[in-house]
Amino acid sequence: TSKQLSEKRGFQMTMNRKKVVLVIVEGGCEEVLLNNRLRNKFDQYHIRFHIHHGDILYDLSKPDEPIKSIIGKTIKEFMMKSKFRSEDIFCVLHIIDMDGCFIPEEAIVIDETQKELTVYHQDKITVPHDKQKKQIAARNLERGKNINAMKALDTILSDEINYRMFYFSRNLEHVLFNDANPEKGAKHPEVERFAE
């Protein structure tokens, strides 16, 4: 019957539909760098990016919310907006910057001559004053705790979706150009040139 044919066609479309790999990144540079590489490497999946525009692992607007809940909500929002269900998602790849968050607090050093709020070095982070030192120490503690919580997970959203966390060294530019302190305006063009 036509109803059976329609149901069969719907079942086949579901079976033939490519699953989605959701890639959560902090900014647009990561998407520029990874988009074509991931699409070529995993052509059996749809690669979709969610740019968080900031540090999801240290969000001052949500100080008491568990990180698993914050990331879970981010994935749910993406799914609602894109009209995907859990079964449409093959996995979530979460790519983060480390930002030196696991260094000891004594490696956060005050340099009163420094104009920038935070400068990353090979073995320390320098800041211009004690207030920024306390801020970086608090950020590092929170980010480290959140990274440890998330890296232990294999799944998210009630174990329905595979989840993996990956990281760039201190940041993307540190990996690509050995530049731990990139100028904000120059980041995107440099990454585009590298990707080309």
Side-chain angles (χ1 to χ4, degrees):
T1 67
S2 61
K3 183 181 177 191
Q4 287 172 321
L5 281 172
S6 175
E7 285 173 357
K8 187 177 178 184
R9 231 180 270 124
F11 176 74
Q12 285 173 334
M13 282 178 64
T14 303
M15 293 297 289
N16 294 334
R17 213 160 115 187
K18 284 184 179 181
K19 289 209 170 212
V20 173
V21 173
L22 170 59
V23 186
I24 300 174
V25 293
E26 291 183 11
C29 288
E30 287 90 345
E31 181 181 12
V32 167
L33 176 69
L34 298 170
N35 191 3
N36 286 338
R37 282 174 173 75
L38 290 177
R39 286 183 201 283
N40 290 336
K41 185 136 183 86
F42 302 107
D43 62 350
Q44 71 270 37
Y45 303 108
H46 288 297
I47 307 296
R48 297 289 298 272
F49 281 82
H50 172 76
I51 301 172
H52 186 71
H53 298 292
D55 188 353
I56 198 170
L57 297 164
Y58 181 64
D59 190 343
L60 292 172
S61 68
K62 302 171 186 171
D64 300 320
E65 189 171 354
I67 190 62
K68 187 176 175 183
S69 170
I70 291 170
I71 293 172
K73 283 181 184 173
T74 299
I75 295 166
K76 281 182 184 172
E77 286 168 13
F78 166 83
M79 288 168 57
M80 284 178 58
K81 188 174 161 187
S82 304
K83 297 185 173 42
F84 289 128
R85 298 161 300 170
S86 297
E87 55 267 28
D88 297 323
I89 310 289
F90 175 70
C91 70
V92 174
L93 305 179
H94 186 181
I95 300 174
I96 65 166
D97 293 338
M98 294 301 284
D99 292 326
C101 72
F102 287 107
I103 67 164
E105 190 170 342
E106 57 268 20
I108 306 169
V109 178
I110 295 173
D111 176 358
E112 293 177 352
T113 65
Q114 180 174 301
K115 291 181 180 145
E116 299 88 354
L117 270 179
T118 310
V119 177
Y120 296 93
H121 304 268
Q122 191 67 26
D123 58 349
K124 65 186 174 190
I125 297 173
T126 55
V127 295
H129 45 68
D130 191 56
K131 181 180 176 188
Q132 182 65 4
K133 178 175 179 167
K134 287 177 181 160
Q135 171 68 29
I136 292 296
R139 177 205 73 172
N140 285 357
L141 188 67
E142 184 69 14
R143 287 186 97 251
K145 182 184 79 166
N146 288 336
I147 288 170
N148 284 331
M150 294 309 295
K151 76 175 185 173
L153 299 181
D154 289 331
T155 57
I156 198 160
L157 294 181
S158 304
D159 298 330
E160 291 181 19
I161 297 176
N162 291 316
Y163 172 89
R164 297 290 185 282
M165 177 181 276
F166 298 91
Y167 64 90
F168 289 115
S169 184
R170 284 188 203 117
N171 53 45
L172 171 71
E173 294 75 21
H174 187 217
V175 173
L176 299 183
F177 314 119
N178 197 25
D179 184 0
N181 301 287
E183 291 180 35
K184 286 201 184 327
K187 286 170 73 167
H188 215 277
E190 283 181 6
V191 173
E192 282 180 340
R193 277 194 295 275
F194 180 88
E196 285 169 15

